[in-house]
Amino acid sequence: MTVEITAESFDPYARLRDFQQQRLNSAQYGAEAVFVGYMRDQNNGVPVSAMTLEHYPGMTEQHLEAISASAATQWPLQQSLIVHRIGNIQPGEAIVLVAVWSAHRAAAFDACRYIMEDLKAKAPFWKKEQRVDGERWVEQNTPGYTGKNQD
């Protein structure tokens, strides 16, 4: 289970490919589930030109490692990877990559969703948006998965 916090922009698919080549034996897993989150250029209809993402060093990594460990106790996972940006982020840049590998798709899908939902709801990250009308701290994330179609 690997967790990485980075202030550098990253290509999620290159990072995924490198991780697979260095850390995984493709004969061991039958399924891979991947989620990539990007910065949008708007939030609730208001244009956003940039975002600063802050974290609590040490505590954030520990929380993400705990999420990965919890997922591994609930589903038979071979591996998981979380890469999360901090610092100044521009629209269109990747913010988060969550990937999990398992023998079967159900475990991979469920574990990936579990990790991402917990990360969004509980991990100690703080977002400040740069907007036309000034800066503002984001007070809450968009709702998590409800089983219904959402924006």
Side-chain angles (χ1 to χ4, degrees):
M1 310 305 162
T2 301
V3 169
E4 179 184 331
I5 305 289
T6 180
E8 302 297 320
S9 180
F10 70 96
D11 175 339
Y13 297 102
R15 181 70 181 91
L16 189 62
R17 183 189 62 244
D18 292 346
F19 185 83
Q20 288 172 306
Q21 290 173 350
Q22 296 169 11
R23 304 283 299 274
L24 294 173
N25 174 351
S26 62
Q28 292 177 332
Y29 62 90
E32 166 187 283
V34 177
F35 175 86
V36 179
Y38 297 91
M39 186 192 157
R40 295 183 308 265
D41 64 356
Q42 60 82 29
N43 189 7
N44 294 323
V46 177
V48 177
S49 60
M51 178 173 65
T52 302
L53 195 56
E54 296 183 2
H55 78 304
Y56 193 103
M59 180 185 284
T60 303
E61 291 87 346
Q62 187 176 37
H63 184 90
L64 298 179
E65 289 166 1
I67 295 169
S68 292
S70 177
T73 65
Q74 296 179 62
W75 295 279
L77 304 181
Q78 272 89 28
Q79 188 60 266
S80 67
L81 170 66
I82 301 172
V83 180
H84 206 294
R85 278 287 303 277
I86 57 169
N88 297 319
I89 303 170
Q90 301 299 309
E93 291 184 335
I95 298 173
V96 61
L97 164 65
V98 174
V100 297
W101 293 266
S102 183
H104 302 285
R105 70 183 177 279
F109 278 133
D110 292 346
C112 188
R113 178 179 300 281
Y114 171 83
I115 291 169
M116 191 61 222
E117 294 298 336
D118 190 291
L119 184 158
K120 284 290 284 183
K122 300 176 187 170
F125 289 102
W126 298 274
K127 297 185 232 181
K128 182 171 42 173
E129 296 175 338
Q130 284 77 50
R131 304 167 9 153
V132 176
D133 59 351
E135 296 180 338
R136 97 172 169 103
W137 287 99
V138 176
E139 294 181 15
Q140 64 185 30
N141 286 312
T142 54
Y145 178 70
T146 63
K148 297 178 182 177
N149 190 12
Q150 299 176 0
D151 277 341

